[in-house]
Amino acid sequence: MKKFDKEIVSGSILRSIWKLTWPVTLLNLVNGLHGLIDHALVGWHFGQDGNAANAGIGSAWQCFLVFVVFIASLFHGMNVLIARYAGKEDRDMLSKVAYNAFLTSLYILVGIVAPVGYFIAPWILELVGLKPEVMVYALPYIRVLFTCSAPLFLMFMLVGAFQASGDTKTPLVLGIFSTILNLVLSATLIVGFGPIPSIGPLGAAVGTVVAPIPAVLIALYIIFHKKTIIHPPEKFTLIPDFTIMKRVATIGLPTGVQGVLLNLGGVLLIRFINQVDYASATLAAYTICYSQLFSFITWPSFGLRSACATVMGQNIGAGNHGRGKHAVYLGALIGFSWAFVIGLAFWFIPVKLMGMFKVEDPIVLSYATSLLHFLAFSGLVLAPALAFTGALQGAGETKKPMYIAFATQIVLLLGMCWYFNSKDMLTPDRIWLSILTSHIARLALTYGVFRTAGWMHTKVEFEDEVQSGDEKVVAEE
């Protein structure tokens, strides 16, 4: 039986945040690597069609996230409760939360997301105004993601549950294994190998949804054999406990709405991109630079957000509110430092970075260089903003980050683009400026909330906790 990690809630604050941050950050970097390699393979092996293919799979992924990120809100509600009960060392309660979230997510992904997503996929892509040469790659890609994404998102769920409980090594090993398998599958299916024929960019989608299956099975195996902090339920049922899921949803749904707003902003931004001159070239630059290269900042920052949420949630559960807040400040500094290093590469060697994707079109290179220069500054504000967001969410304060997402990603970002477009002034550089402005505003608003104290006292626990496996959780009236 794995013991709770007391170093998360006691001892050196730097060690607490670093112990959670480096495995989660490394895992997110590894997870982001397969997308970058997929785009590089498509760019190198599809010649003149490479830009359209990269734009297609990048746009499809962005559209897909708008819908599925809402499901992931269940994962966040689960993570908040697991972290809080891990701080209290209540193994039984956190295990019940994890099991019910897994069961509910499986039903939603297979019973709703898969069939509905398949049929609405063409409408979604038409909504963002993709060109015909891009649509031909985007539609089959997004349909595979919708219909077969259950293993991918169950993997995300299990990784989040392990991390929230304080176990970061297990998901790191599983994530690296899954990513290596993903790279092998995607490369084989995109390019073809021996008797296995190439299926083109669609191979990236197939690799993405198939690779997590072994890791999910391994994760379930070690849970059922009680080798992790999370244990299997004492009594199995195919019907989720709605009392538990109501609390999970109450905490997590604002985060889901926040995720939808953030990704919806990205999708509608594509619509504005499609209205500028040389739209396909601009979209290719945006897809490669923002969706792939910028992920060297965003993926570690998402890991940092998760680490800050865990350390904040567990310290609140242990009654160490101030300690958790100091740990988050250190996390924000770590994120800023990492973004600074990556930003130097964006500023000084943008052409070499684009060379990884065999981008030779001078128009695409020009737009990409400009965007990477803007992103060099965006990273410096986005990384700390995500650290502070993680702290708020880890405490159970999920509504204020949702409001901030709406204000910055919908009102400000899209509002600036709409204004420029209405004045016939919309250009790639003005779109890049709008992105940077929204990131600055997001940091300012999030930090403003973080400096207050009320969010640290958000009530998330159940009023009466389970004392035995047969008792039901009674929600707080």
Side-chain angles (χ1 to χ4, degrees):
M1 180 181 295
K2 194 176 183 69
K3 296 182 179 180
F4 290 96
D5 190 347
K6 295 184 181 297
E7 289 187 345
I8 297 175
V9 296
S10 62
S12 168
I13 294 177
L14 179 59
R15 181 169 56 188
S16 296
I17 190 65
W18 182 249
K19 189 172 189 176
L20 289 169
T21 297
W22 81 259
V24 179
T25 298
L26 180 58
L27 174 59
N28 278 11
L29 272 174
V30 170
N31 283 337
L33 185 63
H34 77 83
L36 184 139
I37 292 179
D38 286 348
H39 278 271
L41 287 171
V42 169
W44 277 91
H45 290 277
F46 288 89
Q48 294 300 319
D49 291 332
N51 287 338
N54 269 325
I57 64 177
S59 301
W61 178 257
Q62 184 76 56
C63 293
F64 173 68
L65 285 181
V66 172
F67 291 86
V68 181
V69 76
F70 195 75
I71 308 303
S73 64
L74 293 177
F75 306 166
H76 180 74
M78 172 197 72
N79 292 344
V80 170
L81 288 170
I82 287 177
R84 188 67 64 92
Y85 284 111
K88 294 175 177 290
E89 298 191 11
D90 188 339
R91 190 186 305 270
D92 184 58
M93 193 62 231
L94 68 85
S95 297
K96 284 181 174 291
V97 170
Y99 176 73
N100 280 275
F102 180 89
L103 196 63
T104 304
S105 299
L106 181 63
Y107 290 154
I108 293 174
L109 288 166
V110 175
I112 299 176
V113 173
V116 174
Y118 180 88
F119 288 107
I120 68 173
W123 175 81
I124 296 171
L125 297 176
E126 289 173 2
L127 184 66
V128 299
L130 295 185
K131 305 295 182 183
E133 66 270 19
V134 175
M135 178 74 80
V136 70
Y137 294 104
L139 182 56
Y141 184 91
I142 197 173
R143 275 182 161 166
V144 169
L145 293 179
F146 269 126
T147 55
C148 307
S149 63
L152 175 66
F153 284 91
L154 291 178
M155 176 67 177
F156 288 163
M157 194 223 81
L158 290 168
V159 164
F162 287 140
Q163 291 170 346
S165 71
D167 178 4
T168 55
K169 302 291 180 63
T170 299
L172 176 61
V173 174
L174 292 175
I176 291 175
F177 169 68
S178 178
T179 299
I180 292 173
L181 182 58
N182 193 341
L183 292 174
V184 172
L185 286 173
S186 295
T188 301
L189 294 173
I190 291 172
V191 180
F193 181 78
I196 302 176
S198 166
I199 60 174
L202 186 62
V206 176
T208 297
V209 298
V210 172
I213 294 176
V216 169
L217 295 177
I218 293 171
L220 293 176
Y221 175 85
I222 62 177
I223 288 174
F224 285 117
H225 284 77
K226 298 185 177 181
K227 297 181 182 296
T228 66
I229 292 174
I230 300 170
H231 282 184
E234 295 182 12
K235 183 177 180 180
F236 287 95
T237 176
L238 295 178
I239 301 175
D241 187 318
F242 292 104
T243 303
I244 292 177
M245 291 313 302
K246 179 181 178 181
R247 181 60 60 87
V248 169
T250 299
I251 299 169
L253 283 179
T255 301
V257 174
Q258 176 190 347
V260 168
L261 291 173
L262 293 172
N263 285 281
L264 182 61
V267 169
L268 295 178
L269 192 65
I270 292 174
R271 190 171 183 86
F272 281 111
I273 290 173
N274 280 314
Q275 296 181 39
V276 303
D277 294 335
Y278 303 104
S280 294
T282 306
L283 185 57
Y286 172 79
T287 300
I288 294 173
C289 294
Y290 195 85
S291 300
Q292 298 305 318
L293 292 175
F294 196 50
S295 67
F296 280 104
I297 293 178
T298 57
W299 278 111
S301 297
F302 290 146
L304 184 64
R305 180 182 65 183
S306 176
C308 288
T310 298
V311 76
M312 195 73 235
Q314 289 208 24
N315 274 276
I316 290 175
N320 301 327
H321 298 67
R323 186 179 184 280
K325 197 169 185 179
H326 282 115
V328 173
Y329 274 117
L330 284 175
L333 180 61
I334 292 171
F336 178 88
S337 302
W338 174 262
F340 179 78
V341 173
I342 301 300
L344 291 177
F346 288 176
W347 188 267
F348 289 109
I349 56 170
V351 176
K352 289 185 178 180
L353 293 175
M354 295 302 292
M356 294 190 300
F357 304 90
K358 203 182 180 181
V359 175
E360 298 173 343
D361 187 314
I363 299 176
V364 178
L365 283 174
S366 174
Y367 293 156
T369 298
S370 174
L371 176 54
L372 286 174
H373 285 169
F374 277 96
L375 294 179
F377 291 98
S378 272
L380 297 176
V381 293
L382 183 61
L386 288 173
F388 297 134
T389 299
L392 300 179
Q393 293 175 337
E397 174 51 88
T398 53
K399 291 182 179 179
K400 287 186 175 67
M402 176 184 69
Y403 300 146
I404 291 171
F406 178 77
T408 59
Q409 297 300 119
I410 301 299
V411 177
L412 183 58
L413 173 60
L414 299 181
M416 288 181 66
C417 290
W418 174 84
Y419 173 80
F420 289 135
N421 193 45
S422 68
K423 300 296 183 181
D424 201 24
M425 298 166 55
L426 190 65
T427 64
D429 277 351
R430 288 194 171 100
I431 294 176
W432 312 155
L433 175 63
S434 301
I435 293 173
L436 173 58
T437 304
S438 70
H439 287 160
I440 294 172
R442 187 175 178 187
L443 172 61
L445 293 173
T446 306
Y447 182 63
V449 175
F450 180 79
R451 282 177 56 85
T452 64
W455 58 271
M456 290 188 291
H457 303 283
T458 305
K459 178 68 176 177
V460 299
E461 298 97 328
F462 298 98
E463 183 74 8
D464 299 308
E465 297 180 357
V466 175
Q467 299 299 322
S468 69
D470 294 327
E471 291 177 330
K472 285 288 184 182
V473 176
V474 178
E476 179 184 5
E477 294 295 330

